[in-house]
Amino acid sequence: MADVVRETSIEKVQLPKGETWSVHKFGGTCVGSSDRLRNVAEIIQDDDSERKLVVVSAMSKVTDMMYDLIDKAQSRDDSYIAALDAVLEKHRLTALDLLQVDDLAKFLSRLHHDIDNLKAMLHAIYIAGHATESFTDFVVGHGELWSAQILASLVRKNGTDCNWMDAREVLIVSPAGSNHVDPDYLESEKRLEKWFSQNPSRTIIATGFIASTPQNIPTTLKRDGSDFSAAIMGALFRARQVTIWTDVDGVYSADPRKVSEAVVLKTLSYQEAWEMSYFGANVLHPRTIIPVMQYEIPIVIRNIFNLSAPGTMICRSSVNELEEGQRLESSVKGFATIDHLALVNVEGTGMAGVPGTASAIFAAVKDVGANVIMISQASSEHSVCFAVPEKEVGAVAKALESRFRQALDAGRLSQVAVIPNCSILAAVGQKMASTPGVSATLFNALAKANINVRAIAQGCSEYNITLVVKREDCVRALRAVHSRFYLSRTTIAMGIIGPGLIGSTLLDQLRDQAAVLKEKFKIDLRVMGITGTKTMLLSDTSIDLTKWRELQKEKGEVADLEEFVRNVHGNHFIPNTVLVDCTSDSIIASHYCNWLRRGIHLITPNKKANSGPLDQYLRLRALQRKSYAHYFYEATVGAGLPIISTLQGLLETGDKILLIEGIFSGTLSYIFNNFIGTRAFSEVVVEAKEAGYTEPDPRDDLSGTDVARKVIILARESGLKLELSDIPVQSLVPELLRGCASAEEYLQQLPQYDHDMSKKRQDAEDQGEVLRYVGVVDVANKKGTVELGRYKKDHPFAQLSGSDNIIAFTTERYKQQPLIVRGPGAGAQVTAGGIFSDILRLASYLGAPS
Ligand SMILES: NC(=O)C1=CN([C@@H]2O[C@H](COP(=O)(O)OP(=O)(O)OC[C@H]3O[C@@H](n4cnc5c(N)ncnc54)[C@H](OP(=O)(O)O)[C@@H]3O)[C@@H](O)[C@H]2O)C=CC1
Ligand SMILES: N[C@@H](CC=O)C(=O)O
Ligand code: NA
């Protein structure tokens, strides 16, 4: 009985129902110690609902201890007495820790009284050597009686008006088969009204798990009983919400131990929760959902150890709601697996059109008590295939062989085959019912991961698609399908080739921006590999960019381009792959076609592919147009400046390019902007190199080759079919230094030629002119030139500073005044930034929100 009985106007109190009530359920771990009970009391007090009903389980392990008492007593093991003392001690110590004088005395007296009773009952069991079900139910239910009383006293101690409820006085249930009971709602409601009229409190702490039969015999609600108690109470009170407190953040889209990408679902419909729980997801047992479902009361699953997590709400329908971070079209809510299964395949021509075959098969299965988990039969009716737990398959096969002996001997049935080591993979989601293509996507993901499907079942409710796969493929299958539905389609596996000046700056920019991209634009960039000429660093998930340099030193392997690409692209769980070539190597460029053919996107600042042999270039561009793999190379001209995209924009919108001219070299721009008579030419060259403007070998800049490559790239982009050798180039590398073995040697010897360059500069200056290294694409005349020219000091080319590039497009539309792009055209940050914006362009082509 409740320990606080109100004297006032007992008979007049009506049971208030509806929105005012909020129901909470705390499982054993939530009330497993004094500290946890304090925490629970706080949560109850923090809920500002007008009325609260709190269902509690026994303190953790207590129910097991109680069952153990029965086992011991039944098997005449004296140690049940000591075990009962341990139960007493656990509750006594908790009460001493939490309760104060009067409440403590009252509770301890009740506890000792209960323990004495139990001792007597267990003694009777000990003598009889047997415990009836009702005896057992009576004994084990004490854990809830004690936890509810302790918690009620604690809440009251904290100043909240509160009664505890022995649910056996209220909840009436009838047995419904083994391990099931059916609540009697009418009778329970009547009793609840009576109980409430005697205990009209705003906060009630009720025992979970226990109830009474219609004959008032104590019983339990069986497995997951406390959740069921909470759901029934929620229904009886027509509560606004039932919160089930557990130790997980909610219901996950897949088992997070198997799928690291699994996310907590914000909402699930009752049906989805139902399906997920069947497949072993850590959700409520289906029967606990039924009571609240009829009144459309939401159930929220929350983590008591992580109050900041909002949990998962199970409610009427989540069909129209969009999950945050989930793809709009994501129609599958969750994936689950069941292991240790075997398939049984009964096959034969004699089955088709013979009524009763299925019934005979499943009758034989039933006779051996096996549980059929999935059934599939094609309409040709030549075979029936079903899954049973592996441990039951031997008996099932034997029963079928014996039942169909005659048909097997006569050849009407060809076989009863057992396929062991199977697992079920189920996809669950209410929206699947109305979304074409879900199963196509599912099977496509499995096919890509090279997983064979042994059997398939989908009911016409379409809430789940069940597949049978080989046991050893199961986790891989789960990950493959989960990533297909759950990873944003702009999740991109990246491989960075060449972590030199530009590559490493890009990696640092990616590191700094990754979180923003993921959060704001749903772009999830994962660097799966970084390779130089000697060392490569690989990862299965993604490299931690805050310490990629250290990791490269610690975990770097010998570089192997094929293996590198296989690692970055071979990951079946990430929908897209991009390789970013930050080398200046033509051998790397020679792989582009092959990579595009494999569906790998490419981004590069390396000019070698677009300025290399014409036939190779044309093949690459043709392949790019044919394939769905993208190839972006903005940083090959003008670094981060929008040169390529501007030109492509003009061409794609139908403008006609007449002339492109300008200063295309950041290095040469810097050199001639700063070679003003104050320093030697060679000194300024070294400055340009140190500033990161030059090519890995600065002779590529000084020779004019780098500018010629850019001229070729723009010329080809404009439709001219030119080779690099078609461009006359005026080299600034003295003849004798062209054969130097290294860039260092060249730079060392360069000062010998300073005088020649000083003279050129002075001659120009004497005429009021400056030296500028200029490239021209003369589209009208189908040619290109690269030369050192002299310009008047008021010419736009003379107005530049730093590493500025200036590029003027004269076109049909921009004929009077050219379209001019100007700004720093070399340097690590601007170049890496240009590559980065190509990566984001790729993401937006792949569907990232703008
Ligand atoms: N600097 C700038 O302003 C601009 C540069 N660019 C282009 O950016 C690219 C990179 O330049 P930058 O960073 O200065 O050059 P670096 O010399 O600093 O770096 C090149 C990187 O490429 C690696 N590498 C070379 N060959 C291979 C190969 N076969 N396999 C794997 N890795 C390889 C090198 O590895 P390892 O260290 O092992 O030798 C090194 O890490 C060049 O193509 C350049 O033209 C484009 C626009 C502007
Ligand atoms: N070395 C190049 C870098 C950009 O392409 C230059 O100086 O412009
Ligand atoms: Na550019």
Side-chain angles (χ1 to χ4, degrees), residues 260-321:
S260 59
E261 317 276 352
V263 295
V264 174
L265 299 169
K266 274 192 165 173
T267 61
L268 270 180
S269 71
Y270 295 119
Q271 284 82 358
E272 286 167 338
W274 216 328
E275 295 282 343
M276 292 284 282
S277 66
Y278 174 79
F279 288 104
N282 197 3
V283 205
L284 301 174
H285 190 276
R287 74 196 161 107
T288 59
I289 296 172
I290 297 169
V292 290
M293 211 169 138
Q294 58 183 323
Y295 298 109
E296 297 186 356
I297 298 165
I299 304 181
V300 181
I301 302 194
R302 291 197 58 189
N303 188 352
I304 192 153
F305 304 113
N306 181 13
L307 296 181
S308 62
T312 300
M313 178 179 281
I314 300 171
C315 51
R316 188 172 65 86
S317 176
S318 62
V319 170
N320 297 322
E321 291 168 37

Side-chain angles (χ1 to χ4, degrees), residues 425-733:
L425 167 65
V428 170
Q430 202 166 347
K431 233 170 132 189
M432 293 194 318
S434 51
T435 315
V438 175
S439 54
T441 309
L442 200 66
F443 289 109
N444 185 271
L446 292 170
K448 280 211 158 163
N450 202 21
I451 287 161
N452 186 33
V453 177
R454 307 293 310 245
I456 305 165
Q458 180 191 333
C460 59
S461 70
E462 299 180 56
Y463 289 161
N464 96 60
I465 299 177
T466 302
L467 311 165
V468 177
V469 295
K470 269 199 273 178
R471 166 83 192 93
E472 69 250 37
D473 286 343
C474 188
V475 172
R476 216 155 51 83
L478 179 66
R479 288 184 188 156
V481 294
H482 185 275
S483 63
R484 183 58 72 87
F485 284 90
Y486 265 91
L487 284 188
S488 124
R489 85 185 120 157
T490 44
T491 302
I492 305 177
M494 302 181 60
I496 310 292
I497 309 173
L501 177 67
I502 304 299
S504 62
T505 308
L506 172 68
L507 284 162
D508 292 343
Q509 290 183 355
L510 286 167
R511 174 201 61 204
D512 296 343
Q513 196 62 7
V516 176
L517 291 176
K518 196 163 174 184
E519 207 167 293
K520 283 206 175 146
F521 303 101
K522 313 277 173 272
I523 298 172
D524 188 355
L525 302 176
R526 301 182 186 192
V527 177
M528 312 290 284
I530 302 171
T531 187
T533 51
K534 296 187 190 70
T535 322
M536 66 180 179
L537 175 65
L538 304 179
S539 161
D540 286 344
T541 44
S542 73
I543 294 168
D544 179 354
L545 295 185
T546 60
K547 49 178 181 184
W548 68 268
R549 289 180 181 83
E550 293 86 323
L551 288 171
Q552 198 185 25
K553 278 190 202 122
E554 283 163 29
K555 303 199 169 146
E557 310 167 31
V558 176
D560 175 338
L561 192 63
E562 247 327 289
E563 200 193 323
F564 174 80
V565 176
R566 214 175 308 123
N567 184 80
V568 176
H569 186 52
N571 183 324
H572 302 293
F573 311 126
I574 299 187
N576 314 285
T577 307
V578 63
L579 290 176
V580 184
D581 170 17
C582 297
T583 74
S584 59
D585 191 356
S586 44
I587 297 183
I588 297 290
S590 70
H591 290 280
Y592 290 1
C593 278
N594 175 28
W595 292 337
L596 285 180
R597 257 186 233 111
R598 288 163 71 179
I600 299 172
H601 307 291
L602 278 172
I603 289 171
T604 190
N606 180 358
K607 304 162 194 100
K608 298 293 159 57
N610 283 12
S611 63
L614 181 64
D615 57 338
Q616 286 175 27
Y617 167 80
L618 293 173
R619 211 174 314 132
L620 174 64
R621 300 306 304 273
L623 186 69
Q624 178 200 3
R625 297 223 162 83
K626 261 201 324 220
S627 76
Y628 286 92
H630 299 287
Y631 170 45
F632 299 141
Y633 42 85
E634 178 59 83
T636 56
V637 182
L641 296 180
I643 308 296
I644 302 284
S645 52
T646 300
L647 176 54
Q648 289 177 340
L650 294 170
L651 289 166
E652 282 162 16
T653 56
D655 201 353
K656 202 161 166 246
I657 311 297
L658 304 175
L659 187 78
I660 307 169
E661 67 174 332
I663 292 179
F664 294 107
S665 167
T667 301
L668 295 173
S669 178
Y670 177 86
I671 289 172
F672 290 110
N673 292 338
N674 290 280
F675 181 43
I676 48 174
T678 51
R679 303 196 294 295
F681 184 74
S682 59
E683 273 178 65
V684 190
V685 172
V686 170
E687 277 174 29
K689 175 154 174 54
E690 280 167 0
Y693 302 145
T694 67
E695 291 305 289
D697 184 338
R699 279 174 297 179
D700 283 343
D701 301 283
L702 275 291
S703 65
T705 310
D706 178 72
V707 177
R709 288 190 184 280
K710 289 167 179 163
V711 164
I712 277 291
I713 292 171
L714 297 180
R716 288 176 177 176
E717 202 71 45
S718 313
L720 303 189
K721 294 200 164 55
L722 294 177
E723 290 283 5
L724 195 57
S725 55
D726 294 330
I727 312 288
V729 178
Q730 185 182 349
S731 176
L732 303 183
V733 180

